[in-house]
Amino acid sequence: MRRDLAELPTCTRCDLALTRQRVVIGTGPLSSALMVVGEAPGRSEDEGGEPFIGRSGQLLFRLIAEETGLSREQCFVTNVVKCRPPGNRAPRRDELEACRPWFEEQVGLVQPRVVVALGNTAARAVFGFVEGIGRTHGRVQLVGAGQGLATYHPAAALRGGPRVVAVMRADLRIVKRLVEAP
Ligand code: URA
Ligand code: SF4
């Protein structure tokens, strides 16, 4: 079922609408080659209205810039769930299902060459993976008219340190190759 993205800022299709401050829609040019997809807004994003403006976003865009040469401003950045779950709990299945069509509309609009999904929740929502991110990261998939892969969430890198960062860097080098492929 198609949805009109003009209605996203006032969406009430799940109960997260009751507790959010704002719908965090996404940022970046509609012509972006790379789409970056996280799980759901946290406190900073719910207050600021933009995805990945907190601490994990700083690490994320440093790694993306270093490994792909793309800046935050060159990427379309969003989440599979557009409203903050209370207390940053994981989004529930019904919330993921209610929100996913918005992501599909965005993929149709931006038509990115590459989609990178961050962490288990986004990887499962975007690519339908059943296994965990430890097994699925780096696997190249088709998405929309382009390609994509999953890697760890930068919050996992903040917790897990250099080993996780090294895996993210390796996955982002695949992203670079896909973005630049003729
Ligand atoms: N974590 C996410 O998954 N998305 C954000 O926008 C911020 C933190
Ligand atoms: Fe709508 Fe998604 Fe927000 Fe739920 S999380 S209210 S489906 S925009």
Side-chain angles (χ1 to χ4, degrees), residues 8 11-14 16-17 20 23 81-83 95 98-99 102:
L8 175 52
C11 176
T12 55
R13 286 175 187 262
C14 82
L16 295 180
R20 73 176 180 228
V23 180
V81 165
K82 313 296 190 202
C83 302
E95 293 157 354
C99 212
W102 291 125

Side-chain angles (χ1 to χ4, degrees), residues 24 37-42 45 50-54 56-57 78-79 118 153-155:
V24 179
V37 188
E39 177 174 313
E45 293 77 20
E50 296 186 7
F52 283 109
I53 53 178
S56 62
T78 189
N79 288 297
L118 303 165
H153 194 285

Side-chain angles (χ1 to χ4, degrees), residues 10-95:
T10 54
C11 176
T12 55
R13 286 175 187 262
C14 82
D15 284 348
L16 295 180
L18 301 172
T19 48
R20 73 176 180 228
Q21 292 195 47
R22 337 182 183 195
V23 180
V24 179
I25 294 167
T27 53
L30 298 183
S31 58
S32 299
L34 180 60
M35 190 166 194
V36 177
V37 188
E39 177 174 313
R43 181 193 294 277
S44 314
E45 293 77 20
D46 185 49
E47 288 170 359
E50 296 186 7
F52 283 109
I53 53 178
R55 213 157 74 89
S56 62
Q58 286 179 20
L59 173 62
L60 172 66
F61 286 100
R62 184 164 65 76
L63 295 177
I64 290 178
E66 287 175 7
E67 296 300 339
T68 74
L70 294 170
S71 68
R72 175 197 286 266
E73 291 69 32
Q74 289 174 298
C75 302
F76 191 88
V77 189
T78 189
N79 288 297
V80 284
V81 165
K82 313 296 190 202
C83 302
R84 181 192 183 205
N88 295 352
R89 66 163 171 75
R92 293 194 312 247
R93 183 191 301 267
D94 59 310
E95 293 157 354

